[in-house]
Amino acid sequence: MNTVLVLGGYGAVGREAAAVLIGYPGIRVIVAGRNPGLARPGPATTAMRVDAADPDQLARALDGVTTVLMCAESDNAGVARTCLERGIGYVDVSASHHVLAEIQHLDDLARARGATAALSVGLVPGITNLLARICVERSPATELRIGVLLGSGERHGRAAIAWTLDGLGRLDGSWTMNFPAPHGTRTVHRFPFSDQYTLPRTLGVPAARTGLCLDSRITTGLLAAAGRPAAARLLRRRQVRDLLLTALEKIHLGSEGFAVTVDSGTARASLSGRLQSRATGRAAALLIRDLPGLQPGVRHIEQLVDPVVFLTELAADEFDLRIDHDDHLENGRR
């Protein structure tokens, strides 16, 4: 029996991952977080109160656990170290480069304990990393360009919105990317997703950059404006920030659709669909299913799985995978 503890399991990603995991044979799921009142445990899951930043609570929660899925940012490196010291597999969906860089230093520990820590497991980073590997293997280039289009109509938790606000204005630059229909050509604004920092090392490419836009052009414009220095300084004021976070939790302009696309030379690959949290949760569940057979150590998702095989299976769940090379579509809708 593989017992999976989902930390941050009361959020959209954790719930989605748990719903998929319980459908796999031989997997038991525990959803955990600091507020059990938010839990929606199903017939095959257990809810538990766990503050991942509390070493004693975490240690008790790990008894009998074989894999941990981390769906929050709360001392991730400390949680990963505790898991790996006990030979427990660890999967992280964080998009913050500094978080993943800290965990990367635990590679020797993971190897010594025969455990696998999988990083960059989600939509971005994650699916973008796999699309990037596909493109680089088909058409190496001096730079990877990654575009992320998120549905501004999807409901997000306060922590996710705060993370987005924190990233505004940290990187300069904008460019256009071609997204699958119905989105078309859109302007993306550089955003500090971690994939652009890790891919040059894992794929051996000279450079990578990731840009963000929202499906609503109006909201994208507001996002870009909020990243300007004057607006960024205003957002650092606690009262202003709290008011904006409250408003963004309630206002939902646009749809629940998403699309990610990657260009390298003459190769282009994309995945699109509905609900980014659904894509992230399902990608994490798929990787956890196969984690026991993967190589020990700390690895990013593109170092662990065959990208075409993995994405083809993921796309069968009502996502659209497209891989183009020299204007020839190799893989259509799955």
Side-chain angles (χ1 to χ4, degrees):
M1 175 68 70
N2 182 6
T3 299
V4 181
L5 175 67
V6 184
L7 294 173
Y10 307 156
V13 171
R15 288 197 299 267
E16 190 65 48
V20 177
L21 285 168
I22 61 176
Y24 295 141
I27 292 184
R28 171 176 173 255
V29 178
I30 304 170
V31 292
R34 289 179 293 185
N35 187 355
L38 299 176
R40 300 177 191 171
T45 63
T46 302
M48 178 186 295
R49 186 190 185 283
V50 179
D51 182 349
D54 184 316
D56 292 334
Q57 285 190 30
L58 178 63
R60 289 192 295 270
L62 291 178
D63 288 341
V65 168
T66 53
T67 306
V68 166
L69 171 59
M70 189 66 165
C71 297
E73 286 197 6
S74 178
D75 189 26
N76 296 47
V79 173
R81 177 179 290 279
T82 301
C83 292
L84 296 175
E85 285 175 342
R86 296 173 63 161
I88 296 171
Y90 179 83
V91 177
D92 201 308
V93 303
S94 175
S96 298
H97 173 59
H98 73 278
V99 170
L100 302 186
E102 285 186 82
I103 300 171
Q104 190 70 58
H105 294 308
L106 302 175
D107 182 51
D108 288 342
L109 173 62
R111 290 169 180 263
R113 297 294 192 272
T116 303
L119 308 181
S120 303
V121 182
L123 178 65
V124 49
I127 292 170
T128 54
N129 298 48
L130 297 176
L131 295 172
R133 179 178 160 190
I134 290 171
C135 289
V136 168
E137 289 178 348
R138 283 161 172 73
S139 180
T142 58
E143 182 183 55
L144 274 169
R145 299 192 317 154
I146 303 162
V148 180
L149 183 150
L150 302 180
S152 49
E154 183 174 350
R155 293 183 178 274
H156 302 287
R158 194 177 185 87
I161 297 171
W163 187 90
T164 304
L165 291 178
D166 290 340
L168 296 175
R170 285 173 51 190
L171 296 175
D172 293 327
S174 60
W175 61 96
T176 59
M177 294 289 293
N178 292 316
F179 291 95
H183 307 293
T185 301
R186 301 290 300 271
T187 297
V188 298
H189 304 277
R190 195 161 187 195
F191 196 82
F193 290 116
S194 64
D195 51 2
Q196 62 197 306
Y197 300 106
T198 58
L199 290 172
R201 178 178 62 83
T202 61
L203 297 183
V205 295
R209 54 179 168 148
T210 304
L212 170 67
C213 69
L214 302 176
D215 65 327
S216 164
R217 295 180 187 271
I218 293 174
T219 311
T220 299
L222 293 174
L223 184 78
R228 292 170 185 162
R233 286 194 297 271
L234 186 62
L235 288 175
R236 284 196 288 269
R237 297 180 183 177
R238 185 182 182 93
Q239 186 175 13
V240 173
R241 181 183 175 83
D242 287 346
L243 286 172
L244 183 58
L245 284 171
T246 300
L248 291 174
E249 282 185 289
K250 297 177 180 178
I251 299 172
H252 306 282
L253 299 174
S255 74
E256 295 179 336
F258 75 86
V260 288
T261 188
V262 179
D263 290 344
S264 173
T266 58
R268 181 173 69 253
S270 66
L271 187 106
S272 58
R274 179 178 168 273
L275 294 173
Q276 67 188 69
S277 58
R278 179 171 173 268
T280 293
R282 289 176 179 254
L286 186 57
L287 186 67
I288 288 171
R289 183 198 67 184
D290 298 334
L291 194 69
L294 300 179
Q295 182 180 4
V298 180
R299 299 286 184 273
H300 294 271
I301 191 171
E302 70 275 15
Q303 298 173 298
L304 289 168
V305 302
D306 181 303
V308 174
V309 172
F310 187 94
L311 290 176
T312 297
E313 184 171 0
L314 180 67
D317 200 7
E318 298 182 356
F319 298 111
D320 191 8
L321 171 65
R322 294 182 178 272
I323 303 172
D324 298 285
H325 186 245
D326 291 333
D327 298 322
H328 174 66
L329 183 65
E330 296 182 6
N331 291 290
R333 184 169 182 83
R334 301 294 182 182

